[in-house]
C-alpha cells in the first residue's frame, strides 16, 4: 500500500496515485519534482496494482500521444507526452522517466495522470478491456456510455445531468463474459459517494450530429463497429489486436444506438429517451 495521506514515502517525498475500478496505481516522485497536491484517491483497502518509481531528467521531449512499444503478459513499455514508462507485472513495479521542461504544476499533474492512465490501460487491454472516448452518465442506478468524437457534444449533454455523471472524456470498460462493466476513475464529476466503483453498462450510445430533436435509434453491428473503433484508444501497433478484438466483442454483445440530442428538449425527456431506449 502507498503511505497514508500526510506521511511521506520513505525514499521520496511525493506520491501520486489514482484508482480505476477495483485497482489502483501509484507513482513515487523525486523530492525535487516540486510540491504537487494529492489527488482524490479512494484507496481505502485497495492494494496498489502497480507501483512506478519515477526519475526526472531535464532532457527535451517530443510531444506525442501515448504509444506502446511492448505490451504482453510480462509487462509493457510506453512513450507518452513528456514521459517514458515501463513495468514488470510479475513484481508489480516499474520505472517512469519524467522529462521536465519547466512545466507548470498543472502540466506536471497532467503528465502524471497520463502516465497512470497508460499504466491502467496496459493492465486492462490484455484482460479484454477498452479505454473509450466516451462520457458516463449515472441515471436511475444504471451506467450509460455516450461515445463520440471531440466537439460531438458529450460535455454539453453531460453538463445538463450534473451531478449525475462520472466523466465526459474517458471510459474504462472491461468485459465479464457477455456483460461489460464501466470502471469509475479519478476524472469524475458530481458527488463521488453516489457512484459505485464498478457497474454494468446498461446502454451504449453514439452521439449523432442531429440537433433538431431528441431521439434514439438502433445501429447495425457493422455501423456500431465503424463508429466505436475510432473512439477506442489505439495506442500504437502493439495494441491493435487487443483493441480490434475488444471492439468487435463489445458491438456483438452490447447493442449500440444513435442518440440525437436537442438542447431544447427537457432534461427529464432526454433521460427517458436514454433509459427507455435500453429497456424497451
Amino acid at each position: 500500500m502507498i503511505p497514508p495521506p500526510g506521511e511521506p514515502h520513505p525514499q521520496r517525498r511525493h506520491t501520486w496515485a489514482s484508482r480505476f475500478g477495483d485497482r489502483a496505481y501509484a507513482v513515487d516522485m523525486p523530492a525535487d519534482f516540486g510540491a504537487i497536491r494529492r489527488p482524490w484517491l479512494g484507496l481505502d483497502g485497495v492494494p496498489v496494482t502497480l507501483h512506478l518509481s519515477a526519475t526526472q531528467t531535464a532532457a527535451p521531449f517530443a510531444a506525442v500521444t501515448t504509444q506502446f512499444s511492448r505490451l504482453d503478459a510480462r509487462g509493457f513499455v510506453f512513450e507518452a507526452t513528456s514521459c517514458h514508462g515501463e513495468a514488470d507485472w510479475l513484481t508489480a513495479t516499474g520505472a517512469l522517466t519524467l522529462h521536465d521542461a519547466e512545466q507548470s504544476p498543472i502540466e506536471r499533474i497532467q503528465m502524471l495522470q497520463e502516465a497512470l492512465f497508460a499504466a491502467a490501460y496496459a493492465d486492462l487491454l490484455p484482460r479484454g478491456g477498452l479505454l473509450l472516448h466516451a462520457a458516463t452518465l449515472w441515471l436511475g442506478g444504471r451506467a450509460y456510455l455516450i461515445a463520440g468524437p471531440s466537439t460531438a457534444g458529450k460535455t454539453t449533454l453531460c453538463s445538463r445531468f450534473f451531478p449525475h455523471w462520472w466523466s465526459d472524456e474517458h471510459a474504462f470498460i472491461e468485459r465479464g463474459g457477455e456483460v461489460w462493466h464501466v470502471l469509475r476513475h479519478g476524472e469524475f464529476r458530481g458527488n463521488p459517494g453516489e457512484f459505485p466503483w464498478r457497474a454494468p453498462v446498461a446502454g451504449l450510445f453514439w452521439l449523432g450530429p442531429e440537433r433538431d430533436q431528441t431521439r434514439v435509434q438502433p445501429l447495425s453491428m457493422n455501423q456500431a463497429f465503424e463508429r466505436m473503433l475510432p473512439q477506442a484508444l489505439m495506442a500504437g501497433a502493439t495494441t491493435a489486436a487487443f483493441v480490434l478484438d475488444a471492439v468487435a466483442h463489445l458491438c456483438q454483445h452490447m447493442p449500440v444506438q444513435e442518440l440525437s440530442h436537442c438542447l431544447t428538449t427537457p432534461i427529464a425527456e432526454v433521460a427517458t429517451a436514454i433509459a427507455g431506449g435500453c429497456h424497451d
Side-chain angles (χ1 to χ4, degrees):
M1 295 292 290
I2 66 171
E7 293 185 18
H9 188 276
Q11 297 176 329
R12 293 175 177 81
R13 187 173 62 193
H14 305 300
T15 299
W16 172 275
S18 191
R19 181 174 172 178
F20 297 77
D22 56 1
R23 300 188 177 215
Y25 309 85
V27 175
D28 293 332
M29 293 167 289
D32 59 355
F33 197 62
I36 298 178
R37 65 173 177 82
R38 288 183 64 89
W40 165 75
L41 300 178
L43 294 177
D44 293 342
V46 179
V48 171
T49 302
L50 178 67
H51 213 142
L52 301 172
S53 178
T55 57
Q56 183 180 2
T57 174
F61 62 89
V64 295
T65 56
T66 302
Q67 297 287 305
F68 286 89
S69 57
R70 181 167 73 85
L71 177 60
D72 53 37
R74 298 169 300 157
F76 63 82
V77 176
F78 72 83
E79 297 286 344
T81 302
S82 67
C83 65
H84 166 90
E86 53 187 281
D88 179 348
W89 290 126
L90 183 62
T91 63
T93 60
L96 186 67
T97 303
L98 308 172
H99 304 312
D100 187 11
E102 300 182 353
Q103 291 129 322
S104 69
I106 293 297
E107 289 171 326
R108 287 180 170 180
I109 289 173
Q110 292 172 339
M111 175 205 309
L112 293 169
Q113 189 64 54
E114 180 179 11
L116 293 181
F117 263 55
Y121 200 38
D123 189 12
L124 188 64
L125 267 176
R127 294 187 287 117
L130 283 170
L131 173 55
L132 283 181
H133 189 201
T136 305
L137 291 175
W138 183 248
L139 304 175
R142 296 175 179 268
Y144 300 89
L145 301 182
I146 314 294
S150 297
T151 73
K154 297 187 300 298
T155 301
T156 300
L157 169 63
C158 288
S159 64
R160 300 187 67 194
F161 283 97
F162 184 85
H164 304 292
W165 50 302
W166 295 10
S167 68
D168 58 352
E169 277 297 317
H170 303 103
F172 282 84
I173 60 174
E174 65 176 348
R175 69 179 99 165
E178 297 183 1
V179 179
W180 282 80
H181 292 81
V182 59
L183 309 179
R184 183 172 136 219
H185 56 84
E187 180 193 297
F188 74 102
R189 314 292 186 208
N191 181 358
E194 295 179 356
F195 305 142
W197 281 103
R198 188 174 186 271
V201 177
L204 176 57
F205 296 87
W206 166 263
L207 191 56
E210 184 179 333
R211 297 290 180 266
D212 293 336
Q213 60 177 320
T214 295
R215 64 173 181 172
V216 171
Q217 52 188 353
L219 296 173
S220 69
M221 192 165 67
N222 287 340
Q223 289 174 323
F225 186 84
E226 291 174 356
R227 286 162 174 77
M228 287 299 126
L229 184 59
Q231 307 313 313
L233 178 60
M234 189 84 72
T238 303
T239 66
F242 293 110
V243 172
L244 289 170
D245 176 71
V247 173
H249 184 282
L250 178 68
C251 295
Q252 180 180 1
H253 296 284
M254 173 66 63
V256 182
Q257 304 180 79
E258 182 171 301
L259 170 66
S260 301
H261 172 229
C262 178
L263 283 170
T264 60
T265 304
I267 194 62
E269 293 183 19
V270 179
T272 298
I274 292 173
C278 298
H279 308 295
D280 286 342

